[in-house]
Amino acid sequence: MSHDSGFARLPAPPYYAVIFSSQRNGLDPAGYDAAAARLFDLVQEQPGFLGAESARDAGGFGITVAYFTDEAAIAAWREHTEHRAAREYGREHWYAQYQLRIARVERAYGGHPADAAPVAAVEEEA
Amino acid sequence: MSHDSGFARLPAPPYYAVIFSSQRNGLDPAGYDAAAARLFDLVQEQPGFLGAESARDAGGFGITVAYFTDEAAIAAWREHTEHRAAREYGREHWYAQYQLRIARVERAYGGHPADAAPVAAVEEEA
C-alpha cells in the first residue's frame, strides 16, 4: 500500500465500505504483492473511491476496508476488467478463504489521543 | 483473540459493523494484549454481539471489525462499564491514532476458493 499512514482520509458519512477479510495461503508472495500494489493504484482512479485501510497479521489473516461514495461506484469497480481478472486469479491462487461485506457507513469518530479529546467531541471530523 | 480462525461466523445480513482502525504506539504490549483478550471475552457475553475479525500488521496498524445485530447492541456495549474504562485508558496509553466507524452491513459474499465456486453462487451463505 502506497499511503503514508494507515489511515484513510474520508469525508463525513454517509458513504459505503467494502470490508474484505482474507486468509492468505502463503503462496506466491511476490505475485500477490505486485497485484495488490497495482490494484491499489488502479482503484485511486476509480470515480467514487474515497480511500482504503488495510492490515494483515503475521499469520496471513488480513482485513482491507475500501471506502466509496455509493453503491454505484462499488459496482463499477467490481466490473473493472483488470480488477475482475485479478480477483478471479486471486480467488484460486492466493487465498485459503475470504469474505466480502458491503456496508453503509453511518457515523465516524476518531482522534489523536495525544490531544486528549473525548471521542464524542471529534465526531464527524473524519 | 481466542478464536480458531480469523473469520467470524455471522448470520445473513443485515447487521451492524463497528470498524475500528488504530495505530498502536508500541508501548505497554503486555498490558494491551491482556486488555484486548479480556475485552474479547467480555464482548462475547454482550447481547447482540455476532462476532469479530481483527488483524494488525508488523508496523502496529490494525483493523478490528466487530459485528452486532443492531445499533442498540452497539450502544449497550459502548456503555459497558469495563469496556468504557478500557477504552478511555487505551485512548491515552496505547494508540497514536484511531478511527471508529459504524456501518450497516447490507450484503455478504464469501468462499473457500478451493471449492472453485463463483462468488455470486455463495452469496448469503456467510
Side-chain angles (χ1 to χ4, degrees):
Chain A
M1 296 276 162
S2 56
H3 40 59
D4 292 333
S5 90
F7 294 93
R9 298 188 149 203
L10 304 182
Y15 45 79
Y16 275 78
V18 179
I19 306 169
F20 180 68
S21 336
S22 62
Q23 176 63 51
R24 282 276 286 122
N25 59 13
L27 303 175
D28 187 23
Y32 171 80
D33 288 349
R38 170 68 179 154
L39 286 176
F40 188 76
D41 286 345
L42 270 184
V43 75
Q44 309 289 328
E45 301 164 9
Q46 184 71 39
F49 174 73
L50 296 174
E53 299 178 345
S54 194
R56 188 171 300 280
D57 66 26
F61 183 78
I63 300 174
T64 294
V65 190
Y67 294 99
F68 294 85
T69 49
D70 52 38
E71 295 225 58
I74 294 173
W77 172 237
R78 188 171 57 234
E79 295 306 316
H80 187 290
T81 305
E82 195 169 339
H83 178 213
R84 177 190 285 270
R87 206 165 60 229
E88 290 176 359
Y89 187 88
R91 215 179 283 157
E92 289 182 34
H93 295 83
W94 294 322
Y95 298 118
Q97 188 175 344
Y98 64 90
Q99 187 69 41
L100 190 75
R101 298 185 177 96
I102 314 293
R104 182 180 189 273
V105 177
E106 301 182 346
R107 298 192 304 284
Y109 314 76
H112 291 74
D115 303 336
V119 167
V122 292
E123 181 171 1
E124 306 300 339
E125 267 194 10
Chain B
M1 296 278 164
S2 55
H3 41 57
D4 292 335
S5 90
F7 293 94
R9 297 186 150 207
L10 304 181
Y15 46 78
Y16 276 78
V18 179
I19 307 168
F20 179 69
S21 337
S22 62
Q23 177 63 51
R24 282 276 284 122
N25 58 13
L27 303 176
D28 187 23
Y32 172 80
D33 289 348
R38 169 68 180 156
L39 286 176
F40 188 75
D41 287 344
L42 269 184
V43 75
Q44 309 288 329
E45 301 163 8
Q46 183 71 38
F49 174 74
L50 295 174
E53 298 178 345
S54 194
R56 188 171 301 280
D57 66 24
F61 183 77
I63 300 174
T64 293
V65 190
Y67 295 98
F68 294 86
T69 50
D70 52 37
E71 295 224 60
I74 294 173
W77 173 237
R78 189 171 57 236
E79 295 305 316
H80 187 291
T81 305
E82 195 170 339
H83 179 213
R84 177 190 285 271
R87 206 165 62 232
E88 289 176 1
Y89 187 88
R91 212 179 286 155
E92 287 182 37
H93 294 84
W94 294 323
Y95 298 119
Q97 188 176 344
Y98 63 89
Q99 188 68 41
L100 190 75
R101 297 183 177 95
I102 313 294
R104 181 180 188 274
V105 178
E106 300 181 346
R107 297 192 305 284
Y109 314 77
H112 291 74
D115 303 335
V119 166
V122 292
E123 179 170 1
E124 307 299 340
E125 269 195 7

